[in-house]
Amino acid sequence: MTTLTLSQSKPVERPEIKEKYDHFIGGKWVAPTSGEYFDNISPIDGKVFSKAARGNKQDIELALDAAHAAFPTWSKTSAAQRSKLLNKIADIIEENLEMLARIETIDNGKALRETRAADLPLVIDHFRYFAGVIRADESSISEHDEHTVSIALHEPLGVVGQIIPWNFPLLMATWKMAPALAAGCCAIVKPAEQTPTSIMVLMELIGHVLPPGVLNVVTGFGPEAGKPLASSPRIAKVSFTGETTTGRLIMQYASENLIPVTMELGGKSPNIFMKSVADADDEFFDKAVEGAVMFALNQGEICTCPSRILVHEDIYDVFMERVIARTKAIKMGHPLAEDTMMGAQASNDQYEKILSYIDIGKQEGAEVLCGGDKAELNSGLETGFYIQPTIFKGHNKMRVFQEEIFGPVVSVTTFKTTEEAIAIANDTMYGLGAGLWSRDAHELYQVPRAIQAGRVWVNCYHNYPAHAPFGGYKKSGFGRENHLMMLGHYRQTKNMLISYDKNKLGFF
Amino acid sequence: MSPDKKTFIPRVLITEAAMDTIDTLRKRFGSELMFHQSGGCCDGSSPMCFEKGDFKVGGSDIWLGEVYGCDFFMNSDQFEYWKHTELTLDVTPGRGSSFSIEIPMGIRFMIRSRLFTMEELENLIPTKTGEEVLEEGSIK
């Protein structure tokens, strides 16, 4: 294939990034006990741009020591004070948004316009949201009878382990850190191997805000640092975002320690376009077309990627013609260039995996409507991990319709009736996200209710407000993230059952 | 031909590079290995390698066969969508995440797929559940 010659604005300047980063444990920068560091490769050009500490069991134990030392005080710190510190963190991130956005782009490979407009603003807002909700949060009390009162009081779980994915390194870390800290827990965070740097730059900015030991970040490889964290008898909970096998393994460890877990394990989200979408060629139709092309947001590396388009057969031609044209208009290029719309896949193995799925899609007889190959870009990006946004047409039993490719690949199929649309939508192991597009007021309520997924976007897609609960049905996991209900995932209930009756029961 | 003498077609093949990686890991860990095919987010859809027995399989897992001496499993509902494809265990440079034990080497096991022909589909190695495998103690 030919190499694309880029004609675009110049990439913005790279912020200063240290040659290597240590762990952040107990409020200090701590060198790995092994003395070893591993390379962090930028997906932009496949080149090493920093090193991360290679954490192991000893490092995790140090973090556990620090977190347990901090917990007695932090858990009793007033909501007002915890809120103030979370707000301070948000303010610092806001002041450094541009720098952090650039580093996130270098670490993950996603386009700068996304880190600037989505990742970092959402990080800031999530800290502010949880700073806010704990000021209004209350426990409950009930009078069972005139002498008996039950108080259900929230208490933080303790020291929690949080394993972060690489698709939104700072935002997914924030989804876990902000509610845990708000709830009064201390956290040990293990970032993904692919993206260990941006969170350390964040810790350089906010590390001093919190008391030592409240928030600890240990980098390293899953089997060396993630496993001792997830299997430690010294943690009160594990929160994990990732894939099903590791999810099961973490639950296996949790079963040995009898602790709760939260699992967010991905999906194969249907995006349903009802017949009424094409009733007019207006703003709404245009919005729906964009909604279908949302599969390419973040290079498709989103658990809720709308990777299955289900479109009514009567509007297939008119709708898909527009979707294909819009997909072809996606400007690929240097992720740090301001006019780039889609950047690089996060790592070489992901890149290879996505290409292997494009291959099996073709073998299974899916028709390539656009894309269908790697994207070979020039201007220094030859060694980066770029894939063309790809649309397959096929049927729901094909593997490209059933497996999470985690790349800019969408598979489209048609339906005749609402019942068929719902049946196809639910014919999947997963149930994380879904989209429903319609002008029909009845469908807007009834169809989302029939879809087995934890989040159904109705006439929109890919919004992630802190104020809306997010999580999976079926094999997509359990537990929720975001929303004040998240506090409940980091707390347990102390029930004080009080008798104000001076008289004995009379049993003995 | 009696059923026990029938030559079955394997469901999982392996490349030389993957065999070399397994040899290295066996030496490093001093134990036999196993694979469980993952699904879902992030590093999902990649095969995960563990020391044999570290990942607990059960009745909801399917044993697809042995590849280079390692048991290869997949969850049964995922297998429903994969069973018509031949899998080849390969390895690629890359910094994957997950608890798969090859990750510190800077490489990642991956799966390449091919559709079985109709003829092949009738002669594939019979599968077992993870529970059956555990009950047998060893696979042969």
Side-chain angles (χ1 to χ4, degrees):
Chain A
M1 66 179 293
T2 54
T3 301
L4 292 174
T5 302
L6 298 177
S7 62
Q8 65 171 166
S9 58
K10 234 176 101 190
V12 298
E13 214 173 290
R14 290 183 178 223
E16 199 182 320
I17 297 173
K18 291 205 170 84
E19 192 194 331
K20 65 177 190 201
Y21 289 87
D22 289 328
H23 303 309
F24 187 80
I25 298 173
K28 295 194 195 81
W29 293 95
V30 178
T33 52
S34 67
E36 288 181 53
Y37 296 82
F38 64 96
D39 291 340
N40 188 4
I41 292 161
S42 174
I44 293 175
D45 51 13
K47 292 186 178 131
V48 178
F49 74 96
S50 184
K51 285 174 188 292
R54 184 172 173 174
N56 58 22
K57 192 171 190 301
Q58 283 88 344
D59 299 318
I60 292 292
E61 290 299 329
L62 289 176
L64 283 163
D65 292 343
H68 278 281
F71 181 69
T73 305
W74 182 245
S75 60
K76 291 188 178 68
T77 300
S78 69
Q81 177 66 7
R82 278 182 277 135
S83 174
K84 188 177 145 191
L85 298 183
L86 293 179
N87 273 323
K88 197 167 177 188
I89 288 172
D91 291 345
I92 293 171
I93 298 171
E94 195 164 48
E95 284 156 21
N96 292 277
L97 187 152
E98 177 64 21
M99 184 268 283
L100 288 167
R102 290 182 189 191
I103 289 179
E104 190 74 321
T105 285
I106 295 166
D107 208 354
N108 168 278
K110 67 177 82 185
L112 183 62
R113 69 170 196 155
E114 286 182 18
T115 50
R116 274 180 181 170
D119 297 58
L120 269 300
L122 283 170
V123 164
I124 296 160
D125 190 57
H126 275 72
F127 275 108
R128 291 200 173 126
Y129 175 80
F130 282 102
V133 293
I134 51 171
R135 299 301 305 277
D137 175 60
E138 290 173 343
S139 297
S140 66
I141 183 166
S142 59
E143 187 189 83
H144 292 188
D145 58 48
E146 62 175 320
H147 301 299
T148 314
V149 171
S150 167
I151 300 173
L153 193 69
H154 305 308
E155 293 185 341
L157 281 175
V159 173
V160 298
Q162 305 184 314
I163 298 179
I164 314 298
W166 43 262
N167 57 343
F168 292 84
L170 290 176
L171 182 59
M172 292 301 105
T174 300
W175 278 20
K176 297 189 192 305
M177 298 187 305
L181 300 176
C185 291
C186 294
I188 295 159
V189 173
K190 213 295 274 178
E193 294 74 336
Q194 294 94 326
T195 52
T197 299
S198 59
I199 191 167
M200 287 312 187
V201 176
L202 176 70
M203 292 312 295
E204 284 190 319
L205 297 171
I206 66 165
H208 67 281
V209 174
L210 297 163
V214 169
L215 178 59
N216 309 277
V217 185
V218 177
T219 52
F221 300 125
E224 295 176 355
K227 183 179 172 180
L229 175 61
S231 57
S232 171
R234 298 172 72 198
I235 53 169
K237 177 188 174 112
V238 190
S239 175
F240 173 68
T241 298
E243 30 64 48
T244 55
T245 297
T246 307
R248 277 180 59 179
L249 199 53
I250 288 171
M251 289 178 71
Q252 184 185 306
Y253 301 142
S255 78
E256 290 165 24
N257 291 319
L258 284 170
I259 57 166
V261 292
T262 297
M263 292 279 147
E264 204 277 80
L265 305 176
K268 190 70 186 176
S269 304
N271 206 4
I272 306 172
F273 297 87
M274 305 302 282
K275 194 175 168 184
S276 63
V277 166
D279 280 356
D281 187 356
D282 56 2
E283 295 92 335
F284 178 71
F285 185 74
D286 191 50
K287 184 186 181 191
V289 169
E290 182 191 51
V293 183
M294 278 290 179
F295 78 88
L297 191 80
N298 208 49
Q299 301 83 239
E301 293 168 345
I302 311 185
C303 304
T304 43
C305 173
S307 53
R308 292 186 293 151
I309 295 175
L310 280 48
V311 57
H312 193 283
E313 61 174 11
D314 290 354
I315 67 164
Y316 175 85
D317 288 339
V318 63
F319 184 69
M320 286 309 295
E321 185 192 346
R322 203 75 71 84
V323 170
I324 291 166
R326 192 76 58 87
T327 302
K328 284 182 175 166
I330 291 172
K331 186 168 187 175
M332 298 193 68
H334 198 298
L336 283 171
E338 291 175 317
D339 53 354
T340 290
M341 294 164 69
M342 201 181 93
Q345 308 305 139
S347 62
N348 182 60
D349 54 308
Q350 283 298 317
Y351 170 81
E352 289 289 335
K353 185 178 82 178
I354 296 161
L355 290 176
S356 81
Y357 269 104
I358 291 176
D359 177 47
I360 189 69
K362 289 174 182 170
Q363 283 188 53
E364 283 190 305
E367 184 190 347
V368 178
L369 300 182
C370 70
D373 209 338
K374 57 193 161 190
E376 300 207 20
L377 310 181
N378 65 4
S379 311
L381 306 179
E382 292 83 352
T383 47
F385 315 132
Y386 298 88
I387 290 183
Q388 298 174 24
T390 296
I391 305 179
F392 276 122
K393 187 185 182 196
H395 63 78
N396 200 55
K397 297 293 178 193
M398 290 174 167
R399 282 184 50 189
V400 287
F401 277 83
Q402 289 294 336
E403 290 155 39
E404 188 160 359
I405 299 171
F406 227 60
V409 181
V410 69
S411 303
V412 56
T413 194
T414 58
F415 63 87
K416 289 185 174 63
T417 64
T418 304
E419 292 69 31
E420 190 188 5
I422 292 166
I424 297 171
N426 288 334
D427 178 13
T428 168
M429 290 162 58
Y430 303 106
L432 189 59
L436 186 272
W437 299 79
S438 173
R439 298 175 197 258
D440 181 316
H442 302 90
E443 286 172 353
L444 289 177
Y445 189 74
Q446 290 157 356
V447 177
R449 287 299 308 275
I451 297 172
Q452 293 152 11
R455 160 74 58 83
V456 184
W457 280 279
V458 181
N459 288 342
C460 61
Y461 209 98
H462 271 337
N463 319 36
Y464 297 92
H467 205 157
F470 176 87
Y473 281 21
K474 294 156 76 176
K475 292 275 162 84
S476 292
F478 46 84
R480 290 293 177 269
E481 299 200 284
N482 307 335
H483 194 265
L484 69 89
M485 70 168 67
M486 197 52 209
L487 294 172
H489 289 273
Y490 286 108
R491 299 191 298 207
Q492 53 197 338
T493 302
K494 167 66 55 67
N495 177 233
M496 282 188 266
L497 195 54
I498 308 163
S499 171
Y500 292 103
D501 192 341
K502 284 187 174 172
N503 299 311
K504 65 182 176 187
L505 288 171
F507 271 122
F508 301 107
Chain B
M1 190 190 287
S2 65
D4 55 340
K5 286 198 180 150
K6 185 173 172 179
T7 312
F8 291 112
I9 294 168
R11 295 171 187 273
V12 191
L13 306 177
I14 184 167
T15 64
E16 277 197 26
M19 284 194 269
D20 290 344
T21 305
I22 288 174
D23 285 337
T24 306
L25 290 168
R26 274 184 177 137
K27 212 165 152 189
R28 181 172 302 170
F29 286 88
S31 70
E32 285 303 312
L33 308 178
M34 65 181 289
F35 288 88
H36 191 275
Q37 173 65 42
S38 189
C41 177
C42 308
D43 295 73
S45 315
S46 297
M48 302 293 171
C49 181
F50 305 113
E51 288 182 73
K52 187 172 179 169
D54 269 10
F55 182 90
K56 309 281 188 249
V57 293
S60 71
D61 293 298
I62 299 289
W63 176 81
L64 280 73
E66 210 177 66
V67 56
Y68 196 49
C70 308
D71 294 330
F72 192 102
F73 296 93
M74 185 185 302
N75 198 261
S76 56
D77 44 11
Q78 192 169 340
F79 180 68
E80 279 304 303
Y81 296 105
W82 287 58
K83 61 187 178 189
H84 63 291
T85 53
E86 176 194 77
L87 310 180
T88 300
L89 185 61
D90 197 3
V91 71
T92 181
R95 177 72 74 216
S97 54
S98 84
F99 290 5
S100 196
I101 60 174
E102 82 284 9
I103 280 171
M105 296 165 70
I107 53 173
R108 189 73 187 85
F109 283 113
M110 68 172 289
I111 287 291
R112 299 187 193 280
S113 308
R114 175 185 75 86
L115 295 189
F116 283 123
T117 63
M118 290 309 284
E119 196 187 341
E120 287 172 325
L121 280 171
E122 285 164 17
N123 295 293
L124 294 175
I125 186 168
T127 60
K128 305 173 196 187
T129 67
E131 197 173 8
E132 285 165 347
V133 170
L134 292 175
E135 281 166 2
E136 286 169 21
S138 66
I139 328 282
K140 277 297 153 210

